[in-house]
């Protein structure tokens, strides 16, 4: 069963907002971290979060065209 594109779009919007909040939090932690190992780990988490935002945003654009 496929969900309506509008409902999927709303869910994606919420997920994107949550990821953007998470990204901001990670950037704050990054700016207050001096340990090299933690910096590398947080930077990787930030990169993965940015990729997730990008993928979900692209999906949202596709769904927006269907609405």
């Amino acid at each position: 069963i496929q969900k309506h594109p509008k409902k999927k779009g709303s869910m994606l919007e919420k997920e994107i907002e949550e990821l953007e909040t998470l990204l901001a939090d990670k950037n704050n932690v990054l700016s207050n971290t001096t340990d090299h190992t933690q910096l590398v780990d947080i930077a990787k988490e930030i990169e993965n979060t940015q990729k997730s935002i990008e993928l979900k945003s692209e999906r949202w654009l596709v769904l927006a065209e269907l609405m």
Side-chain angles (χ1 to χ4, degrees):
I1 301 173
Q2 286 193 353
K3 295 180 182 176
H4 191 274
K6 191 171 186 174
K7 183 160 177 98
K8 281 187 178 179
S10 295
M11 289 173 27
L12 281 171
E13 285 177 356
K14 184 177 180 185
E15 289 175 20
I16 292 168
E17 287 176 14
E18 290 171 355
L19 285 169
E20 288 173 341
T21 300
L22 180 63
L23 183 61
D25 291 344
K26 289 183 184 296
N27 278 314
N28 286 335
V29 171
L30 184 68
S31 66
N32 294 316
T33 302
T34 56
D35 179 79
H36 175 72
T37 305
Q38 287 179 333
L39 288 171
V40 171
D41 290 343
I42 295 167
K44 287 178 186 177
E45 291 174 12
I46 288 171
E47 182 180 357
N48 290 335
T49 303
Q50 288 172 325
K51 286 179 183 178
S52 292
I53 290 170
E54 184 178 317
L55 290 172
K56 289 182 186 292
S57 295
E58 288 174 7
R59 179 69 179 142
W60 182 87
L61 289 172
V62 169
L63 290 172
E65 290 176 3
L66 296 174
M67 288 188 245

